[in-house]
Amino acid sequence: MSEQLLKWVRPEIRELSAYQVPDARGLIKLDAMENPYGLPSELQREWQRGLSSVAINRYPDPTASALHDCLTEVMQVPQDRSILLGNGSDELIQMLALSVAARDRCILSFEPGFVMYSMIARYTGMTYVGVPLAADFSLDLDLVRAAIERHQPALIFVAYPNNPTGNLFDAAAIEEIIRMAPGLAVVDEAYHPFAQTSFMPRLKDYEQLLVMRTVSKMGLAGLRLGVLCGAPALINEVDKVRLPYNINVLTQYTAEFVLAHADFLVGQAEMIRADRDALLQQMASMSQVEVFPSQANFILFRLKHADATAVFDKLRADGILIKNMDRPGPLASCLRVTVGRPEENRLFIRALENALSPQRSAL
Ligand SMILES: *Cc1c(COP(=O)(O)O)cnc(C)c1O
């Protein structure tokens, strides 16, 4: 490829490496915060029957009005607030950024944090300010205050619970950040089903507050559907950068169908929470492992003595794919595991024990 041609690509894009999704074929997949269960078989049949009447030759309902109503009810969006749907909440982050982007403006969030906030800042020509979290991954309000005053962020993202750390920040600290925000403040509640606490009821108190949800982590990651809730005047503006028909007919049909039977998702989230707590306990009893508290469906842990990347590789060789977070900085020697089915969790624990005790693996 000629350099003449590639020079047209913006330098900040050329510097990036593309978002890496590892090949999980043949592996137990505990890397991406997916719900391991899927639809119960009787619902699966009913869903398939309905699928045959979806008109794939037609454009979707541009406003997805039925799905709108359904989500507003299921997610208990306050009456005087509106919602906007995205092709995953990643698309909503992009729409938010596009609607405020300018060269001298920034997005502010926290480190370690969700990578898409900084990636999308870059895609949209904005700068990114990552305020470091304290050593226990809590918010350091003095640092946050100073960064907000200095950088005057157009957009602030707070993941609640945070990814990749798994903890819930102090709610009073988040409220203070919302009050300090010169621009929009987004509370990203991707892990809401596992945290059972929300800023949704506080939407009415702050017009600068937006609450973002997704159906991905609750069990519908394949659909790509995110929800942004906020003041109607603000939502209407962000809606202008939405590409027409961003929610396809299959997603609209399936999400409506599943949300009409949402009980099973509630039950699955409950099982995952119980399994998470059991896994946390088991890992906390392993002398070589430091586990961080989690209110999400994944657990961040640090290996006190072993080489984390070597342990990650051993687990993969044993058929278990988790996420390697090991890099210099606050996540040094850290790995992240998603809570799977009980049997998968057992196999993970066994493989981890094995990876950490060379004598045993030699048996
Ligand atoms: C997974 C995740 C998302 C992305 O969700 P999608 O709806 O699948 O795009 C957003 N925010 C956080 C913090 C996440 O961990």
Side-chain angles (χ1 to χ4, degrees), residues 88-90 93 114 117 159 163 188 190-191 214 216-217 224-225:
S89 42
D90 289 345
I93 300 168
F114 184 48
Y117 307 143
N163 172 15
D188 179 350
Y191 300 96
T214 174
S216 295
K217 314 293 159 62
R224 309 306 296 130
L225 179 65

Side-chain angles (χ1 to χ4, degrees), residues 50-361:
L51 205 48
S52 58
S53 54
V54 175
I56 55 172
N57 56 318
R58 302 289 179 196
Y59 280 109
D61 171 356
T63 58
S65 53
L67 182 54
H68 248 250
D69 294 349
C70 170
L71 285 164
T72 303
E73 192 184 317
V74 173
M75 298 192 169
Q76 301 182 342
V77 179
Q79 290 234 314
D80 59 347
R81 290 299 185 244
S82 301
I83 68 172
L84 178 61
L85 306 185
N87 186 1
S89 42
D90 289 345
E91 192 192 34
L92 292 168
I93 300 168
Q94 189 177 52
M95 283 160 62
L96 282 162
L98 281 173
S99 55
V100 301
R103 187 148 278 295
D104 54 351
R105 290 187 174 177
C106 81
I107 292 180
L108 182 146
S109 193
F110 307 95
E111 293 298 326
F114 184 48
V115 291
M116 290 314 290
Y117 307 143
S118 56
M119 297 283 273
I120 287 172
R122 203 182 265 240
Y123 302 160
T124 54
M126 299 176 80
T127 49
Y128 173 76
V129 175
V131 180
L133 295 173
D136 63 354
F137 300 135
S138 64
L139 291 166
D140 180 337
L141 264 186
D142 290 335
L143 274 186
V144 183
R145 191 176 297 107
I148 290 177
E149 277 169 15
R150 170 146 178 240
H151 299 284
Q152 296 291 306
L155 259 176
I156 299 176
F157 285 100
V158 185
Y160 184 73
N162 191 37
N163 172 15
T165 58
N167 58 316
L168 275 174
F169 298 132
D170 178 53
I174 297 178
E175 271 201 67
E176 201 166 329
I177 292 170
I178 296 166
R179 283 193 290 264
M180 287 189 279
L184 316 187
V186 183
V187 177
D188 179 350
E189 299 188 338
Y191 300 96
H192 172 258
F194 314 105
Q196 300 177 289
T197 172
S198 176
F199 273 73
M200 197 68 91
R202 281 177 240 197
L203 276 174
K204 63 179 184 332
D205 302 329
Y206 304 102
E207 59 179 9
Q208 70 274 38
L209 172 63
L210 296 146
V211 172
M212 192 164 66
R213 297 270 185 90
T214 174
V215 302
S216 295
K217 314 293 159 62
M218 70 168 72
L220 304 169
L223 290 189
R224 309 306 296 130
L225 179 65
V227 184
L228 185 71
C229 316
L234 202 48
I235 291 288
N236 286 343
E237 295 299 331
V238 182
D239 189 35
K240 294 175 187 171
V241 303
R242 184 173 60 86
L243 294 177
Y245 312 117
N246 64 329
I247 311 299
N248 72 70
V249 287
L250 298 175
T251 297
Q252 289 192 33
Y253 161 70
T254 305
E256 270 177 63
F257 174 85
V258 172
L259 293 173
H261 305 87
D263 291 358
F264 82 91
L265 288 177
V266 174
Q268 289 178 349
E270 201 175 323
M271 284 196 287
I272 292 167
R273 289 197 304 270
D275 292 340
R276 169 196 69 204
D277 293 342
L279 204 51
L280 273 170
Q281 244 180 14
Q282 281 175 295
M283 293 170 73
S285 71
M286 297 170 78
S287 62
Q288 297 194 59
V289 174
E290 177 188 7
V291 277
F292 296 97
S294 170
Q295 298 296 319
N297 63 339
F298 61 85
I299 294 170
L300 182 75
F301 60 102
R302 174 174 284 132
L303 299 174
K304 295 182 195 162
H305 313 297
D307 172 355
T309 298
V311 169
F312 170 82
D313 289 338
K314 279 190 197 165
L315 289 173
R316 196 173 46 189
D318 273 349
I320 293 166
L321 182 66
I322 63 170
K323 178 88 174 174
N324 187 359
M325 310 299 302
D326 182 22
R327 70 192 74 123
L331 296 179
S333 301
C334 285
L335 302 173
R336 187 189 70 195
V337 62
T338 301
V339 180
R341 294 167 179 263
E343 180 58 18
E344 295 172 327
N345 301 338
R346 261 195 297 280
L347 290 170
F348 159 71
I349 289 286
R350 203 164 72 192
L352 182 61
E353 283 171 343
N354 206 37
L356 291 173
S357 77
Q359 301 90 318
R360 227 190 302 174
S361 66

